[in-house]
């Protein structure tokens, strides 16, 4: 494929989450920022991708414009993983990870969308001869910081058919309230987002074991300290999950052998190419993958397609918030805890022009 043109579309979509504003970040989070990338080939095939943009949408867009797209527009791409590595090599002076690779992720995902459309198959079919038609999903709740509130939201998602619930709670009383509310048939996990000190982790992990948490995510900082994570898992017998803030297979090679669940994020790790490579490396080590995917751009569709193609990708993360609009109104959502993989050619993502026009932000 030869890439004729690239267009970046910046979106800001308001959402509600029912919380009192106790968020994961110091500032309140009220809008989904999206750095949407549209690539068009010389023969007019369109591919969509997005780069991670949570509180960094301007930086991701600048990286696309200034660093990445000059290597993409006009390029002839035959082998997408090889082209991805070429971009990584050419741009490594800007720092291998973070914003640089978020921007490369958008390009890689759009290229795979094009490749699957050219083959006239869903991406999962391009990646596997035996893709799964549907994937189990879990509800990923925001941090409420209030035991009664988080228990009520848990009961709600369980009533809707979810069998696994992920919290972003860090306090023991909130986690205890959920375990009591969820009942014995529901698996509970919590994402600490690195908020515990190592001392706190040593106090909390026995409690997590006692309550039978399915995994504890990023318990301590830094989340790429494979030795510490592995030691916590081994000492307390509770599965540790980490990886949403790591990039490329190179970084994942350190944590995969140490922890039960690895968590590549398509919009952060380097797109579909790196996510597939990470799933395969995890499979070779006998590990399952719990991808990070809590936003609703093309990366959501790409995650589903990769998961459909890789049987060790266990649970899809469905972020339990209510956006004012979805970029593609046909977004597949979990029903009774299962989410159907789109069977349109490519990722299956097709943005609604009216939504793009309404939520577009210039600059
Ligand atoms: Mg997480």
């Amino acid at each position: 494929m030869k890439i004729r043109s690239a267009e970046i579309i910046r979106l800001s979509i308001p959402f509600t989450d029912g919380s009192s504003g106790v968020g994961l970040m110091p500032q309140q989070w009220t809008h989904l920022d999206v750095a949407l990338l549209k690539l068009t080939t010389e023969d007019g095939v369109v591919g969509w991708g997005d780069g991670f943009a949570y509180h960094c949408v301007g930086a991701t867009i600048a990286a696309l414009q200034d660093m990445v797209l000059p290597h993409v527009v006009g390029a002839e791409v035959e082998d997408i993983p090889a082209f991805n590595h070429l971009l990584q090599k050419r741009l490594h002076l800007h720092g291998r990870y973070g914003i640089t690779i978020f921007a490369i992720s958008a390009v890689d995902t759009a290229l795979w969308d094009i490749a699957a459309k050219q083959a006239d198959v869903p991406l999962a079919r391009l990646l596997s001869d035996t893709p799964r038609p549907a994937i189990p999903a879990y509800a990923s709740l925001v941090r409420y910081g209030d035991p009664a509130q988080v228990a009520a939201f848990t009961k709600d998602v369980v009533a809707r058919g979810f069998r696994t619930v992920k919290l972003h709670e860090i306090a023991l009383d909130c986690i205890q309230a959920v375990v009591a509310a969820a009942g014995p048939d529901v698996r509970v996990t919590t994402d600490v987002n690195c908020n515990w000190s190592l001392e706190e982790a040593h106090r909390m992990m026995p409690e997590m074991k006692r309550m039978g948490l399915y995994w504890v995510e990023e318990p301590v900082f830094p989340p790429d300290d494979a030795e510490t994570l592995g030691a916590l898992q081994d000492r307390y017998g509770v599965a540790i999950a980490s990886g949403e803030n790591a990039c490329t297979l190179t970084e994942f090679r350190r944590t995969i052998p140490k922890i039960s669940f690895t968590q590549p994020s398509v919009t952060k790790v380097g797109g579909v190419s790196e996510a597939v490579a990470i799933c395969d490396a995890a499979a070779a080590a006998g590990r399952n993958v719990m991808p990070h995917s809590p936003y609703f751009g093309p990366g959501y569709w790409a995650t589903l397609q990769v998961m459909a193609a890789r049987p060790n990708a266990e649970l899809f993360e469905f972020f339990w918030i209510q956006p004012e609009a979805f970029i593609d109104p046909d977004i597949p959502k979990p029903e009774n805890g299962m989410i159907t993989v789109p069977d349109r050619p490519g990722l299956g993502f097709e943005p609604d022009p009216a939504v793009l026009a309404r939520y577009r932000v210039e600059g």
Side-chain angles (χ1 to χ4, degrees):
M1 69 182 82
K2 185 164 185 183
I3 304 304
R4 183 181 69 201
S5 64
E7 183 187 0
I8 301 166
I9 301 167
R10 178 175 174 164
L11 302 173
S12 179
I13 302 175
F15 70 88
T16 56
D17 59 19
S19 79
S20 55
V22 182
L24 307 183
M25 299 284 281
Q27 65 270 52
Q28 209 180 349
W29 185 32
T30 57
H31 288 66
L32 291 168
D33 289 313
V34 186
L36 189 63
L37 176 67
K38 176 185 183 182
L39 296 182
T40 306
T41 65
E42 278 206 324
D43 46 1
V45 180
V46 168
W48 295 97
D50 64 332
F52 189 69
Y54 175 64
H55 292 290
C56 64
V57 62
T60 300
I61 286 174
L64 275 166
Q65 275 170 340
D66 297 347
M67 289 153 55
V68 181
L69 292 181
H71 298 279
V72 174
V73 176
E76 182 76 59
V77 181
E78 291 307 327
D79 179 330
I80 299 171
F83 184 70
N84 184 321
H85 279 129
L86 178 68
L87 291 177
Q88 291 186 37
K89 186 175 172 184
R90 285 181 176 167
L91 297 170
H92 77 274
L93 69 164
H94 300 295
R96 287 270 289 130
Y97 305 130
I99 300 291
T100 310
I101 206 85
F102 300 171
I104 291 174
S105 301
V107 169
D108 182 275
T109 302
L111 292 174
W112 279 107
D113 190 21
I114 291 169
K117 283 174 178 165
Q118 286 178 332
D120 199 29
V121 292
L123 176 57
R125 187 77 214 179
L126 202 58
L127 300 172
S128 165
D129 290 336
T130 52
R132 290 179 287 173
I135 309 288
Y138 67 87
S140 183
L141 307 185
V142 301
R143 184 177 307 149
Y144 298 98
D146 176 79
Q149 203 177 11
V150 68
F153 274 98
T154 299
K155 282 184 175 164
D156 181 37
V157 296
V158 168
R160 292 167 191 264
F162 287 102
R163 283 291 161 267
T164 306
V165 180
K166 184 165 94 184
L167 317 176
H168 287 82
E169 304 296 337
I170 56 177
L172 187 57
D173 59 349
C174 289
I175 302 168
Q176 281 172 327
V178 165
V179 170
D185 299 335
V186 175
R187 293 184 299 197
V188 176
T189 78
T190 198
D191 185 350
V192 180
N193 295 111
C194 305
N195 275 287
W196 291 341
S197 66
L198 193 53
E199 237 177 25
E200 286 172 308
H202 283 299
R203 275 204 308 275
M204 293 292 275
M205 289 297 284
E207 300 290 343
M208 302 301 113
K209 174 70 178 174
R210 188 180 55 74
M211 291 188 284
L213 261 67
Y214 190 41
W215 75 74
V216 173
E217 188 166 326
E218 289 193 335
V220 294
F221 185 82
D224 49 352
D225 180 352
E227 299 301 325
T228 299
L229 296 181
L232 285 170
Q233 174 168 302
D234 293 346
R235 179 163 175 186
Y236 297 107
V238 179
I240 299 285
S242 186
E244 69 173 83
N245 294 305
C247 301
T248 81
L249 176 60
T250 309
E251 279 207 309
F252 278 80
R253 282 197 192 286
R254 290 189 291 122
T255 48
I256 283 172
K258 301 286 185 187
I259 59 175
S260 290
F261 298 126
T262 198
Q263 300 189 284
S265 184
V266 167
T267 63
K268 297 174 103 174
V269 291
V272 169
S273 299
E274 292 286 346
V276 167
I278 291 158
C279 286
D280 290 346
R287 304 295 198 196
N288 276 0
V289 172
M290 300 290 186
H292 173 262
S293 55
Y295 308 104
F296 305 103
Y300 180 104
W301 277 256
T303 304
L304 277 174
Q305 297 286 351
V306 168
M307 293 185 75
R310 289 298 180 270
N312 66 320
E314 188 176 328
L315 289 169
F316 183 85
E317 178 170 20
F318 187 77
F319 202 31
W320 199 252
I321 63 171
Q322 291 75 48
E324 209 171 87
F326 289 105
I327 308 169
D328 178 345
D330 292 333
I331 186 168
K333 290 185 208 150
E335 306 271 352
N336 280 319
M338 293 294 289
I339 184 163
T340 302
V341 181
D343 59 4
R344 294 191 284 211
L347 301 178
F349 170 81
E350 192 56 55
D352 178 352
V355 174
L356 297 186
R358 177 156 184 210
Y359 296 101
R360 190 168 189 147
V361 177
E362 294 308 324

